[in-house]
Amino acid sequence: MSEKILTTIYGINKSVKAGRPGVYGVGVIADTENTLILTDRRILFIAVPVNGEGLSLGGADVSGLHSIFNKKGIEKTGSEMLRKMNLQQILRFNPANFEIPLESVSEVKMGWFGTMKIIDANGKKYRYTIRKHDRDQLKKFLQGLIPERVR
């Protein structure tokens, strides 16, 4: 049976980002993923390309600002990627892209203020900020797939 995409959430933002300060106010941000794709088998975190991706300008994370102010642009490009590429091609498209198989998820915590934390079987934590409507929708899907691990 083929894998089924259940929902795609554009405009997520990693809560704690890795990066390095730059010269003359221009730095690099390592965590550029801005989209979550939930399938019946895994959670994919994708960096849909945006202008200034991975840059920090004057201390501001350009990719993160796109998640706040350019959700429609991320959605347009991300939808085009989903039409033209399969999930494996999307995963390989950017080194920042990664997946967590649902069987590797030990716990998902949804916070009140748009936060989401996923803990995998190895204890690694993934923290993201997500809009309330999207968070509620994602929680509903996850409760249907892995109910005992969603809080």
Side-chain angles (χ1 to χ4, degrees), residues 10-109:
Y10 301 98
I12 67 168
N13 204 358
K14 187 133 187 193
S15 298
V16 179
K17 296 191 176 205
R20 62 182 188 271
V23 179
Y24 302 113
V26 179
V28 177
I29 302 291
D31 304 310
T32 58
E33 55 270 20
N34 56 23
T35 299
L36 180 150
I37 301 171
L38 176 67
T39 76
D40 54 351
R41 298 180 189 169
R42 57 190 168 162
I43 305 169
L44 295 88
F45 293 91
I46 305 300
V48 171
V50 294
N51 290 331
E53 177 181 336
L55 291 180
S56 168
L57 299 173
D61 168 20
V62 176
S63 298
L65 291 172
H66 275 281
S67 292
I68 296 167
F69 298 112
N70 188 27
K71 182 182 177 195
K72 291 289 184 195
I74 294 169
E75 187 172 347
K76 180 181 176 188
T77 303
S79 296
E80 188 176 317
M81 288 174 71
L82 282 169
R83 277 193 309 277
K84 294 180 178 182
M85 303 164 76
N86 65 42
L87 292 176
Q88 285 310 112
Q89 290 170 321
I90 291 172
L91 273 173
R92 290 190 305 264
F93 184 78
N94 187 317
N97 298 349
F98 68 96
E99 65 182 333
I100 305 172
L102 289 178
E103 66 265 9
S104 296
V105 174
S106 62
E107 185 175 16
V108 178
K109 292 182 180 180

